[in-house]
Amino acid sequence: MFENPQWKAENPDRWESYHRKSSHSIHMAFSAIASGVTIQSRYSIKPFDWPSETPTEDESFPTIISELRKQFNYLRSYPPKKRIADLLKELSWGTIDSISEGLTEGTLRNVFLYLDGNAAASVLENQLADEIGSGLSTQTTWYQGYLRVRLQQLINNFHVARRWHADKISMEDLWKAAQKEPHNGSFVSMEDEEIFSQDSTWEVATAVRPRNARLGASD
């Protein structure tokens, strides 16, 4: 995830409030899909350094995305590297001289996240299920290489689609599904029944799974 430094600099308290609430939402999402401790311990959203020449103004959103895409492609051009904890051990042992650039083993290589003030506002201010937005105030009329994703789906439907079904479900397919979502066009599911569900409580909206099947979820 690339996090726009502008909104943190403008309001540090709001930045901290967002991260507290988003962490709680992610925790609720893991509970709702009945994932075990092992799965949770292996999941993380990796922060990437903000490229020094990339603008931070919201009105430059297409330019920002273009520059972030270049940086992400640069990072994934390197072979996958070991997890940071292992690299730090090797660094302390003198086995390696420095930590190389690139994506850590296990990191998704076909998508990156972008967090800015508008996306954070959709979590802090929305009274329905939270989502992490694209930073746009309006929906686009055609696929432009990005989409909004409901925050909880970063560990459920969206994550599953990008990790295990990217060969069958494209980003454009996910964008088309997101355009059906009636609140602000955030990706929730590929299934209309889940997209148009009126139940926006944390338990149901987080996992988008039938209550009677929730405890039996195995993925």
Side-chain angles (χ1 to χ4, degrees):
M1 179 172 74
F2 292 100
E3 185 169 351
N4 194 313
Q6 180 182 12
W7 77 283
K8 178 181 178 180
E10 291 176 345
N11 196 329
D13 291 339
R14 188 172 175 82
W15 180 86
E16 291 181 3
S17 295
Y18 163 77
H19 281 282
R20 284 196 301 270
K21 189 171 182 180
S22 63
S23 294
H24 173 69
S25 178
I26 291 293
H27 174 73
M28 292 289 289
F30 276 120
S31 299
I33 64 173
S35 66
V37 175
T38 301
I39 293 177
Q40 294 189 44
S41 68
R42 292 178 178 176
Y43 179 91
S44 64
I45 297 178
K46 177 179 175 60
F48 295 126
D49 292 334
W50 188 261
S52 59
E53 297 182 0
T54 301
T56 59
E57 295 296 330
D58 290 340
E59 58 265 28
S60 302
F61 181 80
T63 302
I64 290 174
I65 292 299
S66 177
E67 292 301 314
L68 296 182
R69 185 177 289 115
K70 291 178 183 177
Q71 178 66 8
F72 185 70
N73 287 335
Y74 167 76
L75 292 173
R76 71 177 187 174
S77 68
Y78 287 88
K81 63 183 182 182
K82 296 180 181 179
R83 296 185 181 277
I84 296 299
D86 296 328
L87 290 173
L88 289 176
K89 289 180 182 179
E90 293 189 13
L91 196 61
S92 65
W93 294 338
T95 308
I96 58 176
D97 296 326
S98 61
I99 297 178
S100 61
E101 293 193 85
L103 303 179
T104 307
E105 291 178 349
T107 302
L108 289 181
R109 304 175 68 84
N110 57 16
V111 69
F112 66 86
L113 307 176
Y114 171 54
L115 172 65
D116 63 3
N118 288 332
S122 70
V123 173
L124 291 170
E125 299 169 8
N126 193 353
Q127 298 303 310
L128 300 172
D130 297 347
E131 61 270 336
I132 181 168
S134 67
L136 295 180
S137 59
T138 59
Q139 293 176 244
T140 56
T141 57
W142 52 279
Y143 179 62
Q144 299 181 41
Y146 50 82
L147 68 149
R148 294 176 175 177
V149 181
R150 182 174 289 180
L151 177 60
Q152 297 96 329
Q153 299 312 319
L154 297 182
I155 64 106
N156 193 22
N157 288 336
F158 182 79
H159 179 75
V160 169
R162 286 283 83 197
R163 179 168 286 282
W164 288 290
H165 303 294
D167 58 333
K168 297 179 181 179
I169 304 174
S170 68
M171 284 285 285
E172 185 170 2
D173 292 332
L174 299 177
W175 175 83
K176 289 178 180 178
Q179 303 315 295
K180 299 178 182 180
E181 199 275 328
H183 299 298
N184 74 345
S186 298
F187 176 80
V188 175
S189 171
M190 294 296 292
E191 303 295 331
D192 286 356
E193 181 180 358
E194 295 176 342
I195 295 172
F196 295 107
S197 172
Q198 296 301 306
D199 194 334
S200 59
T201 60
W202 282 105
E203 181 182 68
V204 177
T206 294
V208 202
R209 292 185 184 278
R211 287 174 176 163
N212 60 2
R214 182 167 59 89
L215 295 180
S218 60
D219 60 341

